[in-house]
Amino acid sequence: MQVTFHGTRGSLPVPGRRTVRYGGNTSCVSVRSAAGTLVLLDMGTGAYELGQQLARSDGPVRGHVLITHTHWDHIQGVPFFAPFFRAGDEWDVYAPRGLGKSLRETLSGQMQYTYFPLELEQLGATIRYHDIVEGALHIDDVTVQAQYLNHPALTLGYRLAADGVSLVYAPDHEPFAAPLATGAGPVEGGDRRHAEFLQDADIVVHDAQFLADEYASRAGWGHSTVEYAVLMAKTAGVRRLALTHHDPNRSDDDIDAIVDRFRPLADGVELFAAAEGKAFEVLGAGASTEIRRQASPKATMQPALKGQSVLLSGTDRAGIERLAEILRSDGVPGALCRFSEVPARLMRDRPSLLLIVGGEGHAIRACTREVRSLGEPVGDTPVIVIGDAGEGFSNEELGVSDRLVGPFSANYARTRLRAWLMRRACRWARPLDAAQEERRLGVLHALNIVNTDPDPALDRLVRLGADLFGVPIAAITLVDRDKQWNRAICGLADGAVSREESFCAHIVAQPGMMVVPDTLLDDRFADNPQVVGPPHLRFYAGHPLMMADSHCIGAFCIADIRPRDLDHAGFAHLAQLADLARLRIEAAASVSGG
């Protein structure tokens, strides 16, 4: 994995004699895998010179951009990035999903006539925009894990794994627990989660804008101290730590002094300061660098927090009302209950979060123990302690997910709550039931073919389908009440998937040919576990298996791990294969007495 720093400064560009060696441009890092996949991390002013280099290439440029957030120092290079203006170049741009404007609308804002002579629509390259939330995605041979950082705006850090090594990019992140800014103290809650995100990385590029003695007057600005970055790297067993997002007031000599001061304290972590123009290759240490998997990543529907709700409990009524007002401003309903009512309310209402605002530690611990005893999924509801609630107890002792310690501004609380809610939101549409679901299920079960022995004739059909379309996966599926059974399959292991993850279940709900050229560009499937996890589907096409009584029992489908499309001949071939599968199923059912 080849890594190059193109911009390492935070807040604003500061070119000049004081910033020659470490650079004055704002955030931009390029990563290229051994297979040639190009990923850019942020597009601050450092992206300009990189764009000039790429524009000098002979052929078209294909690349990907991961933007941590859309504050100016991370996107100022977008209007000046030469490959965006070249016809034939192709780019995918990813950034955190907000609650209002889309990524495309946000980026076009800085190119309005008032600020810039060209509009986003005038860019010549093919550019696709992706609004994402915390979770995993695959960019060719690079696996990316995105996780929310602690910043006044919704901000994602990125962990990239390729070629047997891993890199974490985490600018614009503040300690969740303010005392950790000194570089000492227990690492728990959000800070422990952050350390787990960095765990065993070969290199971490981390925000280190301040020093501990500067932090008190800058708390809430959304940036780390050097002491905190070093603590996190040591806690996580990181091999190399690159300090970045340098304060615009720091000269090259100032940064040298910081590195000299903290390098002896890094305890085995190779410490250096990111410098503009520095390029190097990341080599593994032989240990596993696989990304730590979390629950299936979830992105957002329209509107972003639709269907979300929060349960509030505790003794601080003023604090509860303040949090409830913040939630109402985002359109998220909040309900209040006593500690004793929490388990029952969780079971009944299934809220996205439980906020405990005020309360004695023993009472909170008793409450959370009851919550955790409820089992999945209710028992896994995130519990966040607000203010001084549970003071004297650690997060682990209380059994809570996170802690929001005062004093804090409304904007800071809103961002923290949005991050938790976004984790629970979903840009992954669960399939609906068919119009006559019970009758349809009766037809399916009457065939006596669910979860039965393989049928060689159906097996030959799916192999024929895979060969005909040149795809790695083909299947004949049966959609049951809660599962999709793979009656015959080529390219994947036999078995079943849950109905809510099933692509074919969408065909059952509305029978008809369904083609998804690129799952990542389709809100129904972009964060489906079969897309973001194995087998990482990018293309799907399916035709319904319609029985004589007009009920759809499943589909004949094909799939690929790369985007593609079907032409008219492909539509006809898929329909013919589905008809052959239906005839075989009916014939087998008549023989067996189904």
Side-chain angles (χ1 to χ4, degrees):
M1 180 188 288
Q2 295 178 337
V3 180
T4 305
F5 295 111
H6 304 278
T8 64
R9 195 64 56 167
S11 302
L12 77 160
V14 283
R17 291 175 296 175
R18 301 172 67 250
T19 61
V20 172
R21 286 185 283 112
Y22 289 100
N25 281 305
T26 60
S27 300
C28 182
V29 179
S30 66
V31 176
R32 192 180 290 273
S33 72
T37 301
L38 176 63
V39 179
L40 309 189
L41 297 163
D42 277 333
M43 295 196 74
T45 57
Y48 169 76
E49 181 57 35
L50 170 61
Q52 297 300 305
Q53 297 171 20
L54 294 173
R56 290 193 284 269
S57 60
D58 294 332
V61 176
R62 172 81 173 99
H64 309 265
V65 181
L66 298 172
I67 295 175
T68 57
H69 62 306
T70 54
H71 281 172
W72 276 2
D73 53 330
H74 295 261
I75 63 170
Q76 282 172 314
V78 171
F80 304 95
F81 188 64
F84 281 177
F85 292 84
R86 296 203 316 173
D89 286 10
E90 188 175 352
W91 293 85
D92 285 89
V93 183
Y94 304 80
R97 172 63 190 272
L99 270 67
K101 295 180 179 179
S102 68
L103 170 61
R104 181 187 179 90
E105 291 170 327
T106 301
L107 293 180
S108 66
Q110 67 171 340
M111 296 181 67
Q112 293 176 3
Y113 177 76
T114 304
Y115 311 111
F116 200 74
L118 298 177
E119 296 182 350
L120 198 67
E121 289 72 19
Q122 294 177 263
L123 300 181
T126 298
I127 305 175
R128 292 176 289 267
Y129 301 90
H130 310 273
D131 298 277
I132 63 174
V133 298
E134 186 173 285
L137 63 123
H138 291 264
I139 298 175
D140 297 333
D141 60 315
V142 179
T143 301
V144 180
Q145 187 80 26
Q147 181 164 301
Y148 286 118
L149 303 178
N150 189 22
H151 196 61
L154 280 171
T155 302
L156 287 172
Y158 297 106
R159 179 170 180 141
L160 281 60
D163 307 326
V165 298
S166 56
L167 173 148
V168 178
Y169 180 67
D172 293 68
H173 174 75
E174 182 167 2
F176 288 94
L180 293 184
T182 65
V187 178
E188 60 177 26
D191 295 298
R192 183 177 64 184
R193 194 169 187 270
H194 185 62
E196 290 172 350
F197 183 54
L198 312 183
Q199 189 68 44
D200 297 327
D202 292 287
I203 183 169
V204 169
V205 183
H206 200 286
D207 181 3
Q209 183 157 346
F210 304 134
L211 293 169
D213 57 9
E214 301 167 333
Y215 178 72
S217 62
R218 295 166 173 82
W221 291 16
H223 295 290
S224 292
T225 62
V226 178
E227 290 87 343
Y228 176 80
V230 171
L231 173 64
M232 289 296 101
K234 292 193 295 184
T235 301
V238 170
R239 289 183 58 217
R240 305 176 74 187
L241 172 63
L243 306 178
T244 194
H245 213 272
H246 307 311
D247 191 284
N249 291 317
R250 297 212 202 283
S251 67
D252 291 333
D253 292 341
D254 293 334
I255 297 173
D256 282 340
I258 288 173
V259 172
D260 291 342
R261 173 184 168 187
F262 287 96
R263 184 172 281 154
L265 305 176
D267 291 346
V269 178
E270 182 183 337
L271 176 70
F272 65 99
E276 191 174 316
K278 180 178 176 62
F280 54 94
E281 188 170 2
V282 181
L283 301 175
S288 172
T289 57
E290 227 176 283
I291 288 177
R292 175 176 276 106
R293 294 291 175 191
Q294 301 175 19
S296 299
K298 295 176 169 48
T300 55
M301 292 189 293
Q302 295 281 355
L305 299 183
K306 181 180 180 180
Q308 303 268 8
S309 65
V310 175
L311 185 64
L312 299 100
S313 188
T315 59
D316 181 0
R317 293 307 176 93
I320 288 173
E321 180 53 38
R322 183 188 184 202
L323 270 296
E325 178 57 34
I326 291 171
L327 291 167
R328 281 194 293 270
S329 69
D330 277 345
V332 178
L336 173 64
C337 73
R338 294 189 293 270
F339 278 149
S340 60
E341 300 171 333
V342 165
R345 291 292 295 270
L346 289 177
M347 292 294 292
R348 189 189 77 181
D349 300 337
R350 302 294 178 91
S352 304
L353 301 177
L354 168 61
L355 304 184
I356 297 179
V357 191
E360 192 269 333
H362 292 287
I364 295 174
R365 184 166 61 177
C367 177
T368 55
R369 283 178 176 174
E370 281 195 74
V371 170
R372 299 311 181 205
S373 70
L374 297 176
E376 296 182 359
V378 177
D380 291 335
T381 302
V383 181
I384 303 174
V385 168
I386 309 295
D388 295 330
E391 189 174 13
F393 289 81
S394 68
N395 288 4
E396 287 75 11
E397 289 170 331
L398 292 175
V400 301
S401 310
D402 201 0
R403 190 186 295 260
L404 181 55
V405 180
F408 50 78
S409 67
N411 283 337
Y412 179 73
R414 181 177 291 109
T415 300
R416 291 283 296 277
L417 292 174
R418 284 178 176 179
W420 275 105
L421 290 167
M422 285 293 204
R423 292 186 183 110
R424 309 287 287 186
C426 182
R427 188 164 63 100
W428 157 27
R430 273 64 169 178
L432 302 174
D433 286 343
Q436 296 179 307
E437 179 66 1
E438 293 303 320
R439 291 183 61 184
R440 186 195 72 81
L441 289 171
V443 171
L444 172 63
H445 294 152
L447 294 169
N448 292 321
I449 56 172
V450 173
N451 202 23
T452 56
D453 292 335
D455 183 334
L458 295 179
D459 290 339
R460 287 194 293 272
L461 268 182
V462 295
R463 288 195 295 271
L464 173 63
D467 291 342
L468 179 64
F469 290 96
V471 294
I473 301 166
I476 295 169
T477 66
L478 305 171
V479 178
D480 206 345
R481 186 183 303 277
D482 298 311
K483 292 183 180 296
Q484 170 193 295
W485 300 97
N486 297 322
R487 186 68 184 89
I489 193 162
C490 171
L492 291 176
D494 293 336
V497 298
S498 71
R499 181 166 175 168
E500 70 173 9
E501 298 177 11
S502 167
F503 281 57
C504 298
H506 289 267
I507 294 177
V508 167
Q510 294 181 310
M513 176 84 80
M514 184 174 79
V515 180
V516 185
D518 189 344
T519 58
L520 293 181
L521 303 181
D522 192 312
D523 283 353
R524 294 171 297 172
F525 304 109
D527 298 305
N528 185 294
Q530 296 191 84
V531 174
V532 298
H536 306 298
L537 300 180
R538 289 291 298 276
F539 163 80
Y540 170 90
H543 192 284
L545 298 177
M546 301 295 299
M547 307 314 291
D549 55 2
S550 300
H551 285 292
C552 178
I553 62 170
F556 191 109
C557 64
I558 57 174
D560 202 345
I561 60 174
R562 296 181 181 278
R564 54 187 299 161
D565 210 336
L566 279 187
D567 56 19
H568 291 297
F571 276 70
H573 292 326
L574 195 58
Q576 291 167 354
L577 288 168
D579 196 50
L580 290 173
R582 176 188 62 80
L583 292 172
R584 174 58 189 171
I585 288 171
E586 289 178 337
S590 64
V591 171
S592 66

